[in-house]
Structure formats: C-alpha cells, structure tokens
Amino acid sequence: EFKVREQEGQGPVLYSFGSDTAVDPLPMPAIEAEIARIRRNWVGMPPVHVVNTTDDLPFPMQRHADGAYHDGEVYVIASNVSDVKQLQKVLAHECVLHHSLVEMLGPYGFSKLHHGILALQEKGDPTVLSLLADIKHRYGDLPPEMLTKELVASAGEQCLDEMGNL
C-alpha cells in the first residue's frame, strides 16, 4: 500500500508499507545487486538510497515503510523488504511511476495531464472513477495534484508484471 504525507517545508513524501509484522529481510548485498542490475540498463535512474531501517531516513517515516520518494530521490528500507519481487515493485512505483513521469512531463506537461484527468473525472469516465476510488481507499483525501500523481502511478501499477516490471 502506498501512502503520501506532507513534510513541513519540504514537500510531499511518498511511501509504501511493507508487512505489519517483522519480515525476514532480503540481505543487503542482494538489494544492492538488484539495484545495480537495473541501473546498468537505465541511464536516467534517479538516486536510490538503501537504508537499514526507517530510523535511518533523513525524514520521519512509519516504521513499516518499505520505500519512499522525496525530492527526486528514492529510498529503500532494507529491513522491510522480504524478497526481490517486493523490491522490484517498490522501485517501479517510486522510480518509474513517480520520478520518471514528473521528469519526463515537466511542469507544463504535468499541468496538461492534470487537467485532462480532471476533465475525465468530470465526464464520469469509469476507469478514472475506479482508480480514484481505489486511491481514496488507500490514501484518504489528497490535494488535487498529488491525486493526479497517485492516479497515474496506480494505473501504472496495474501494468506491472509479477516481478514489478512494466
């Protein structure tokens, strides 16, 4: 489950929850190897920081978070990642569906996307309304621009294969 929270003076922090119970974490070398494998094939991959626990993040975070995206950087919380599949899904959501989309579109393109989604919502588009209902269930109420970002990420999540690849 992915969540968003405003950081006072720093902008939004997007994060995802792992298991509510302690997990048998994927060893740090395996996490670093998978990130390196992906980075070899992706020149524009954002910075990815691996921390052991949420206490090691440069901002406060729920203890069960397994990943976060903040100010153009991705964080993986190693102690909450149990396998490569979970790691790949966290990286796909944070790196591709948040970071890369915003980088690709820029402010003007994002504004056009945002207004297009609002228009679809006003027309009662069933796909958009279904995604919005899911996001409201997962996140609660979000500011309009964050809602657009999560709607696009949620749509992208539905395109992921079983290994978290688009």
Side-chain angles (χ1 to χ4, degrees), residues 1 3 7 22 27 36 38 46 87 101 103 107 113 135 137 142 154-155:
E1 180 176 339
K3 296 283 184 182
Q7 273 295 103
I38 293 170
L87 174 62
L101 182 69
E103 291 292 311
L113 174 67
I135 291 164
H137 172 74
L142 294 176
S154 181

Side-chain angles (χ1 to χ4, degrees), residues 39-142:
R39 187 171 298 285
R40 281 192 298 275
N41 297 312
W42 184 6
V43 176
M45 187 176 180
V48 178
H49 308 282
V50 181
V51 297
N52 189 40
T53 70
T54 56
D55 292 337
D56 301 322
L57 291 167
F59 43 82
M61 184 55 56
Q62 302 283 337
R63 69 181 184 90
H64 294 301
D66 57 5
Y69 176 71
H70 179 62
D71 287 343
E73 299 187 9
V74 172
Y75 297 85
V76 174
I77 297 91
S79 62
N80 293 335
V81 174
S82 61
D83 57 34
V84 171
K85 181 178 176 180
Q86 181 185 3
L87 174 62
Q88 290 169 334
K89 287 186 176 188
V90 168
L91 292 173
H93 185 93
E94 307 299 356
C95 293
V96 178
L97 301 172
H98 282 305
H99 176 80
S100 293
L101 182 69
V102 171
E103 291 292 311
M104 177 185 73
L105 293 176
Y108 177 76
F110 179 78
S111 176
K112 298 284 282 180
L113 174 67
H114 179 64
H115 291 292
I117 288 173
L118 290 175
L120 288 170
Q121 180 183 2
E122 286 179 26
K123 288 180 184 177
D125 181 88
T127 301
V128 169
L129 294 178
S130 175
L131 288 167
L132 288 171
D134 178 60
I135 291 164
K136 184 168 180 75
H137 172 74
R138 289 165 54 178
Y139 298 95
D141 292 324
L142 294 176

